[in-house]
Amino acid sequence: MIAEFRLPDLGEGLTEAEVVQWLVSPGEKVALNQTLAEVETAKAVVELPSPYEGTVSSLHAEAGETVAVGAPLIAFDVAGEEPQTPTPAVEGAEAEGSEKTQPNLVGYGAAPTTAGRPARRARRIGGASPAADTAVLEAAPHDASPSASVETVIERPRSTPPVRAHAKRLGVDLVLVAAEVGDRLITRQDVDAYAERLAARSDATRTPAPVPGSAARPTGHQPDRETRIPIRGVRKHTAAAMVQSAFTAPHVTVFHTVDVTATMDLLARLREDRALSGHRIGPLAVVAKAVCLALGGAPGLNARWDEEAGEIVQHGYVDLGIAAATDRGLIVPMIRDAERMTLVELADAIASLAETARAGKTSPAELSGGTFSISNIGVFGVDAGTPILPPGQSGILAVGAVRRQPWEHAGEIALRQVMTLSLSFDHRIVDGAEGAAFLKAVADVLEEPGRAMLLR
């Protein structure tokens, strides 16, 4: 019998995922829990295990294709009676009362029904009267436009909320798309393809005839001279989060340039210590330790604004986010309970975090729930910036490059190693005095690492 596996609910409210690569192919025999594919959500790359033992019948998506939660992903030829396919609930579906929820290995969803797909609520198009008979639009010419009059009542096209929003932005009527793709779930690719056909026909009708004797000049849209990169995965999630943060929390950024010569001298001595030869302790680890110490005296910077409850929630722990630039985009994995760690433990945690992020193996759990973040812009040779707060956090510190430059020291001008710190904070929670005091506390530790012994 053929068993179909649909993309499961991967948690965190995610509605779609991109197939990174298939690890099986049609005709291949697979074992229970064998990894079928790697899919990339808006937060991480996830391995999907097989819920069946059998032979791969077909793949419903290609590598690089975005699949909606609940859409068919892969089909198996399995022995015995037809199994209940693990699948998440899809918008518009209604589970039979006698059926039980089946585990789908990543999330949970309603088991499929053999009675066919439930009817969807009707949508009225054009000037059809309430008494008009319900009908399904079976076909439409490829040159149909979104403004075409359809004097009938049709079923609501099968799609997910993100696809419907995408179609609305492009001005595409999903009814006309459904007429082309049939009764299957409409994807973003279907919407994009329909929009491109409309645009091509529109450009063709608007292109003016060349003036005799004039040289041809490229005008308007020039596909051969442009590169279009789909906005999806981590980049899509990051963009949405940054827009939400920038237009929700009133950002304030303050800067402080500090002499870190003593810190750099300390790190040089630690590198020569044979007992620490297996650890990579760098300036970022010292900054992380200084931040954890300084947050003890600045509770507003280790807090979040709870709009619904009308409360400011102060955290009694530090889940420290470390921004990491990867090939998939910017992610901010976190180190849990960072305030309990020694300098060496923080250095090891940062190194492990970076290695996992570069490999694309950061789990969704490591990307959620941070209380304060650090962005090391110094690795790019940048001195200062205005970092945007991760949603749900009230503070983020950007660490600039360490540079040797003339600096006043002990009443004289000398070549010293300096670094600029940039602190952005939510002005609803943190006022200027608390932000400045926190930044000064971090700077004091970097100027004189021995001062860390005086903080708790």
mmCIF file of all heavy atoms in Angstrom, residues 265-297:
data_model
loop_
_atom_site.group_PDB
_atom_site.id
_atom_site.type_symbol
_atom_site.label_atom_id
_atom_site.label_comp_id
_atom_site.label_asym_id
_atom_site.label_seq_id
_atom_site.Cartn_x
_atom_site.Cartn_y
_atom_site.Cartn_z
ATOM 1 N N ASP A 265 46.836 42.007 27.284
ATOM 2 C CA ASP A 265 48.025 41.455 27.956
ATOM 3 C C ASP A 265 47.662 40.190 28.739
ATOM 4 O O ASP A 265 48.415 39.201 28.742
ATOM 5 C CB ASP A 265 48.635 42.497 28.902
ATOM 6 C CG ASP A 265 49.283 43.655 28.151
ATOM 7 O OD1 ASP A 265 49.534 43.501 26.929
ATOM 8 O OD2 ASP A 265 49.529 44.703 28.773
ATOM 9 N N LEU A 266 46.508 40.211 29.403
ATOM 10 C CA LEU A 266 46.048 39.040 30.147
ATOM 11 C C LEU A 266 45.841 37.853 29.207
ATOM 12 O O LEU A 266 46.253 36.723 29.505
ATOM 13 C CB LEU A 266 44.745 39.369 30.881
ATOM 14 C CG LEU A 266 44.009 38.172 31.516
ATOM 15 C CD1 LEU A 266 44.852 37.548 32.612
ATOM 16 C CD2 LEU A 266 42.640 38.604 32.050
ATOM 17 N N LEU A 267 45.206 38.096 28.072
ATOM 18 C CA LEU A 267 44.956 37.019 27.117
ATOM 19 C C LEU A 267 46.254 36.442 26.570
ATOM 20 O O LEU A 267 46.361 35.225 26.349
ATOM 21 C CB LEU A 267 44.085 37.533 25.961
ATOM 22 C CG LEU A 267 42.646 37.916 26.341
ATOM 23 C CD1 LEU A 267 41.922 38.517 25.143
ATOM 24 C CD2 LEU A 267 41.892 36.703 26.858
ATOM 25 N N ALA A 268 47.261 37.294 26.382
ATOM 26 C CA ALA A 268 48.564 36.805 25.906
ATOM 27 C C ALA A 268 49.193 35.877 26.940
ATOM 28 O O ALA A 268 49.781 34.841 26.590
ATOM 29 C CB ALA A 268 49.484 37.990 25.615
ATOM 30 N N ARG A 269 49.049 36.215 28.220
ATOM 31 C CA ARG A 269 49.606 35.351 29.275
ATOM 32 C C ARG A 269 48.845 34.031 29.357
ATOM 33 O O ARG A 269 49.431 32.962 29.568
ATOM 34 C CB ARG A 269 49.572 36.071 30.622
ATOM 35 C CG ARG A 269 50.519 37.266 30.713
ATOM 36 C CD ARG A 269 50.682 37.737 32.153
ATOM 37 N NE ARG A 269 49.431 38.177 32.738
ATOM 38 C CZ ARG A 269 48.967 39.423 32.658
ATOM 39 N NH1 ARG A 269 49.669 40.349 31.974
ATOM 40 N NH2 ARG A 269 47.829 39.764 33.238
ATOM 41 N N LEU A 270 47.514 34.096 29.167
ATOM 42 C CA LEU A 270 46.715 32.873 29.222
ATOM 43 C C LEU A 270 47.055 31.936 28.068
ATOM 44 O O LEU A 270 47.034 30.705 28.229
ATOM 45 C CB LEU A 270 45.225 33.213 29.199
ATOM 46 C CG LEU A 270 44.676 33.978 30.418
ATOM 47 C CD1 LEU A 270 43.195 34.276 30.231
ATOM 48 C CD2 LEU A 270 44.909 33.193 31.700
ATOM 49 N N ARG A 271 47.359 32.500 26.906
ATOM 50 C CA ARG A 271 47.732 31.658 25.763
ATOM 51 C C ARG A 271 49.049 30.928 25.999
ATOM 52 O O ARG A 271 49.283 29.856 25.443
ATOM 53 C CB ARG A 271 47.825 32.512 24.494
ATOM 54 C CG ARG A 271 46.476 32.850 23.874
ATOM 55 C CD ARG A 271 46.622 33.406 22.476
ATOM 56 N NE ARG A 271 47.291 34.708 22.470
ATOM 57 C CZ ARG A 271 46.654 35.863 22.574
ATOM 58 N NH1 ARG A 271 45.325 35.897 22.685
ATOM 59 N NH2 ARG A 271 47.320 37.005 22.554
ATOM 60 N N GLU A 272 49.895 31.486 26.829
ATOM 61 C CA GLU A 272 51.183 30.857 27.128
ATOM 62 C C GLU A 272 51.090 29.833 28.254
ATOM 63 O O GLU A 272 52.046 29.102 28.503
ATOM 64 C CB GLU A 272 52.196 31.933 27.509
ATOM 65 C CG GLU A 272 52.513 32.892 26.360
ATOM 66 C CD GLU A 272 53.406 34.036 26.801
ATOM 67 O OE1 GLU A 272 53.701 34.115 28.026
ATOM 68 O OE2 GLU A 272 53.805 34.851 25.954
ATOM 69 N N ASP A 273 49.934 29.783 28.914
ATOM 70 C CA ASP A 273 49.741 28.861 30.030
ATOM 71 C C ASP A 273 49.440 27.471 29.473
ATOM 72 O O ASP A 273 48.408 27.247 28.827
ATOM 73 C CB ASP A 273 48.580 29.348 30.901
ATOM 74 C CG ASP A 273 48.469 28.567 32.205
ATOM 75 O OD1 ASP A 273 48.906 27.397 32.239
ATOM 76 O OD2 ASP A 273 47.936 29.120 33.183
ATOM 77 N N ARG A 274 50.335 26.507 29.735
ATOM 78 C CA ARG A 274 50.149 25.161 29.192
ATOM 79 C C ARG A 274 48.889 24.493 29.707
ATOM 80 O O ARG A 274 48.282 23.656 29.028
ATOM 81 C CB ARG A 274 51.363 24.304 29.532
ATOM 82 C CG ARG A 274 52.637 24.740 28.808
ATOM 83 C CD ARG A 274 53.772 23.778 29.121
ATOM 84 N NE ARG A 274 54.995 24.145 28.398
ATOM 85 C CZ ARG A 274 56.128 23.469 28.484
ATOM 86 N NH1 ARG A 274 56.196 22.390 29.282
ATOM 87 N NH2 ARG A 274 57.185 23.864 27.795
ATOM 88 N N ALA A 275 48.480 24.852 30.893
ATOM 89 C CA ALA A 275 47.264 24.254 31.466
ATOM 90 C C ALA A 275 46.013 24.657 30.688
ATOM 91 O O ALA A 275 44.979 23.989 30.787
ATOM 92 C CB ALA A 275 47.129 24.657 32.922
ATOM 93 N N LEU A 276 46.114 25.738 29.907
ATOM 94 C CA LEU A 276 44.967 26.232 29.143
ATOM 95 C C LEU A 276 45.161 26.038 27.643
ATOM 96 O O LEU A 276 44.443 26.644 26.845
ATOM 97 C CB LEU A 276 44.743 27.723 29.442
ATOM 98 C CG LEU A 276 44.456 28.086 30.902
ATOM 99 C CD1 LEU A 276 44.393 29.594 31.062
ATOM 100 C CD2 LEU A 276 43.148 27.440 31.364
ATOM 101 N N SER A 277 46.101 25.173 27.268
ATOM 102 C CA SER A 277 46.435 25.023 25.846
ATOM 103 C C SER A 277 45.268 24.468 25.031
ATOM 104 O O SER A 277 45.195 24.684 23.819
ATOM 105 C CB SER A 277 47.650 24.103 25.684
ATOM 106 O OG SER A 277 47.383 22.815 26.246
ATOM 107 N N GLY A 278 44.342 23.779 25.659
ATOM 108 C CA GLY A 278 43.206 23.218 24.921
ATOM 109 C C GLY A 278 42.030 24.165 24.800
ATOM 110 O O GLY A 278 40.972 23.762 24.291
ATOM 111 N N HIS A 279 42.196 25.401 25.254
ATOM 112 C CA HIS A 279 41.096 26.372 25.237
ATOM 113 C C HIS A 279 41.496 27.599 24.423
ATOM 114 O O HIS A 279 42.652 28.040 24.482
ATOM 115 C CB HIS A 279 40.731 26.796 26.658
ATOM 116 C CG HIS A 279 40.456 25.645 27.583
ATOM 117 N ND1 HIS A 279 39.244 24.999 27.638
ATOM 118 C CD2 HIS A 279 41.277 25.012 28.474
ATOM 119 C CE1 HIS A 279 39.311 24.027 28.530
ATOM 120 N NE2 HIS A 279 40.522 24.009 29.057
ATOM 121 N N ARG A 280 40.534 28.145 23.693
ATOM 122 C CA ARG A 280 40.767 29.368 22.921
ATOM 123 C C ARG A 280 40.047 30.526 23.613
ATOM 124 O O ARG A 280 38.852 30.728 23.429
ATOM 125 C CB ARG A 280 40.266 29.210 21.486
ATOM 126 C CG ARG A 280 41.066 28.199 20.670
ATOM 127 C CD ARG A 280 40.522 28.099 19.257
ATOM 128 N NE ARG A 280 39.166 27.560 19.243
ATOM 129 C CZ ARG A 280 38.396 27.498 18.159
ATOM 130 N NH1 ARG A 280 38.846 27.961 17.012
ATOM 131 N NH2 ARG A 280 37.183 26.984 18.228
ATOM 132 N N ILE A 281 40.789 31.262 24.419
ATOM 133 C CA ILE A 281 40.208 32.373 25.179
ATOM 134 C C ILE A 281 40.556 33.661 24.454
ATOM 135 O O ILE A 281 41.728 34.033 24.348
ATOM 136 C CB ILE A 281 40.738 32.398 26.618
ATOM 137 C CG1 ILE A 281 40.534 31.028 27.276
ATOM 138 C CG2 ILE A 281 40.035 33.483 27.415
ATOM 139 C CD1 ILE A 281 41.125 30.935 28.671
ATOM 140 N N GLY A 282 39.543 34.342 23.928
ATOM 141 C CA GLY A 282 39.747 35.574 23.183
ATOM 142 C C GLY A 282 39.028 36.748 23.816
ATOM 143 O O GLY A 282 38.360 36.605 24.856
ATOM 144 N N PRO A 283 39.126 37.930 23.198
ATOM 145 C CA PRO A 283 38.474 39.129 23.753
ATOM 146 C C PRO A 283 36.968 38.964 23.938
ATOM 147 O O PRO A 283 36.406 39.490 24.905
ATOM 148 C CB PRO A 283 38.785 40.204 22.710
ATOM 149 C CG PRO A 283 40.019 39.733 22.012
ATOM 150 C CD PRO A 283 39.925 38.247 21.996
ATOM 151 N N LEU A 284 36.314 38.217 23.040
ATOM 152 C CA LEU A 284 34.862 38.062 23.153
ATOM 153 C C LEU A 284 34.472 37.339 24.437
ATOM 154 O O LEU A 284 33.462 37.670 25.063
ATOM 155 C CB LEU A 284 34.321 37.304 21.937
ATOM 156 C CG LEU A 284 32.800 37.127 21.872
ATOM 157 C CD1 LEU A 284 32.103 38.479 21.897
ATOM 158 C CD2 LEU A 284 32.402 36.339 20.637
ATOM 159 N N ALA A 285 35.281 36.363 24.852
ATOM 160 C CA ALA A 285 34.986 35.653 26.101
ATOM 161 C C ALA A 285 35.098 36.594 27.294
ATOM 162 O O ALA A 285 34.287 36.530 28.230
ATOM 163 C CB ALA A 285 35.938 34.473 26.263
ATOM 164 N N VAL A 286 36.093 37.481 27.277
ATOM 165 C CA VAL A 286 36.246 38.446 28.374
ATOM 166 C C VAL A 286 35.072 39.416 28.386
ATOM 167 O O VAL A 286 34.532 39.757 29.448
ATOM 168 C CB VAL A 286 37.581 39.202 28.255
ATOM 169 C CG1 VAL A 286 37.743 40.182 29.412
ATOM 170 C CG2 VAL A 286 38.751 38.227 28.233
ATOM 171 N N VAL A 287 34.646 39.867 27.199
ATOM 172 C CA VAL A 287 33.481 40.755 27.119
ATOM 173 C C VAL A 287 32.248 40.046 27.665
ATOM 174 O O VAL A 287 31.459 40.629 28.415
ATOM 175 C CB VAL A 287 33.244 41.219 25.669
ATOM 176 C CG1 VAL A 287 31.925 41.975 25.556
ATOM 177 C CG2 VAL A 287 34.391 42.095 25.188
ATOM 178 N N ALA A 288 32.077 38.769 27.290
ATOM 179 C CA ALA A 288 30.922 38.009 27.770
ATOM 180 C C ALA A 288 30.926 37.912 29.294
ATOM 181 O O ALA A 288 29.881 38.058 29.939
ATOM 182 C CB ALA A 288 30.922 36.611 27.152
ATOM 183 N N LYS A 289 32.099 37.667 29.872
ATOM 184 C CA LYS A 289 32.195 37.593 31.335
ATOM 185 C C LYS A 289 31.882 38.943 31.958
ATOM 186 O O LYS A 289 31.155 39.029 32.963
ATOM 187 C CB LYS A 289 33.602 37.140 31.735
ATOM 188 C CG LYS A 289 33.766 36.913 33.232
ATOM 189 C CD LYS A 289 32.856 35.795 33.725
ATOM 190 C CE LYS A 289 33.024 35.534 35.210
ATOM 191 N NZ LYS A 289 32.089 34.497 35.698
ATOM 192 N N ALA A 290 32.395 40.012 31.353
ATOM 193 C CA ALA A 290 32.134 41.356 31.872
ATOM 194 C C ALA A 290 30.647 41.689 31.796
ATOM 195 O O ALA A 290 30.085 42.306 32.709
ATOM 196 C CB ALA A 290 32.951 42.383 31.084
ATOM 197 N N VAL A 291 29.987 41.280 30.716
ATOM 198 C CA VAL A 291 28.552 41.531 30.564
ATOM 199 C C VAL A 291 27.766 40.811 31.653
ATOM 200 O O VAL A 291 26.871 41.388 32.283
ATOM 201 C CB VAL A 291 28.081 41.086 29.163
ATOM 202 C CG1 VAL A 291 26.563 40.938 29.121
ATOM 203 C CG2 VAL A 291 28.541 42.086 28.116
ATOM 204 N N CYS A 292 28.082 39.548 31.884
ATOM 205 C CA CYS A 292 27.370 38.782 32.909
ATOM 206 C C CYS A 292 27.528 39.422 34.288
ATOM 207 O O CYS A 292 26.569 39.471 35.077
ATOM 208 C CB CYS A 292 27.878 37.345 32.936
ATOM 209 S SG CYS A 292 27.425 36.373 31.482
ATOM 210 N N LEU A 293 28.725 39.905 34.574
ATOM 211 C CA LEU A 293 28.957 40.561 35.862
ATOM 212 C C LEU A 293 28.199 41.882 35.946
ATOM 213 O O LEU A 293 27.572 42.196 36.967
ATOM 214 C CB LEU A 293 30.454 40.794 36.057
ATOM 215 C CG LEU A 293 31.310 39.542 36.254
ATOM 216 C CD1 LEU A 293 32.791 39.895 36.191
ATOM 217 C CD2 LEU A 293 30.983 38.870 37.584
ATOM 218 N N ALA A 294 28.223 42.681 34.867
ATOM 219 C CA ALA A 294 27.587 43.996 34.877
ATOM 220 C C ALA A 294 26.067 43.911 34.917
ATOM 221 O O ALA A 294 25.397 44.795 35.458
ATOM 222 C CB ALA A 294 28.031 44.798 33.659
ATOM 223 N N LEU A 295 25.499 42.853 34.358
ATOM 224 C CA LEU A 295 24.040 42.716 34.366
ATOM 225 C C LEU A 295 23.494 42.553 35.781
ATOM 226 O O LEU A 295 22.320 42.855 36.038
ATOM 227 C CB LEU A 295 23.616 41.518 33.512
ATOM 228 C CG LEU A 295 23.667 41.718 31.995
ATOM 229 C CD1 LEU A 295 23.347 40.414 31.264
ATOM 230 C CD2 LEU A 295 22.704 42.812 31.556
ATOM 231 N N GLY A 296 24.345 42.086 36.708
ATOM 232 C CA GLY A 296 23.900 41.974 38.093
ATOM 233 C C GLY A 296 23.512 43.306 38.689
ATOM 234 O O GLY A 296 22.658 43.368 39.590
ATOM 235 N N GLY A 297 24.099 44.376 38.193
ATOM 236 C CA GLY A 297 23.768 45.716 38.686
ATOM 237 C C GLY A 297 22.871 46.496 37.754
ATOM 238 O O GLY A 297 22.622 47.680 37.983
#
